[in-house]
Amino acid sequence: SELAADFDMALPSFMGHLAKLESAGLIATTKDRRVRTCALRPEAVAPVQHWLDAQRQLWEARFDRLEDYISTLAKDPTP
């Protein structure tokens, strides 16, 4: 209920979302009597982080080339 407190949804709905995250391997949960503890699994997010890093490098290179092209156009406005 501590995790759900900040979200505007019923506890059963929130627990359903946690179950989906757990089945996807993004979080791990343990239960001790009535207390369920959730922990993020950063290694599960690593492939996404690698993909995002590659995309960031790709787009930064594209924007650098666009900036160079615009600078070239600004120096020589004749077509």
Side-chain angles (χ1 to χ4, degrees), residues 2-68:
E2 285 181 40
L3 284 175
D6 291 334
F7 297 91
D8 187 25
M9 63 174 48
L11 186 57
S13 297
F14 188 81
M15 294 301 293
H17 286 286
L18 289 179
K20 289 175 185 162
L21 292 173
E22 186 175 22
S23 69
L26 297 173
I27 65 170
T29 64
T30 56
K31 189 171 181 180
D32 183 20
R33 286 173 249 145
R34 295 187 62 174
V35 176
R36 180 173 295 277
T37 303
C38 299
L40 292 173
R41 296 188 60 235
E43 70 276 5
V45 183
V48 174
Q49 185 62 47
H50 294 309
W51 181 83
L52 287 172
D53 290 341
Q55 293 300 309
R56 183 179 300 111
Q57 291 174 1
L58 175 76
W59 281 100
E60 285 176 355
R62 288 177 178 173
F63 283 129
D64 289 343
R65 288 195 308 271
L66 177 61
E67 183 179 20
D68 292 343

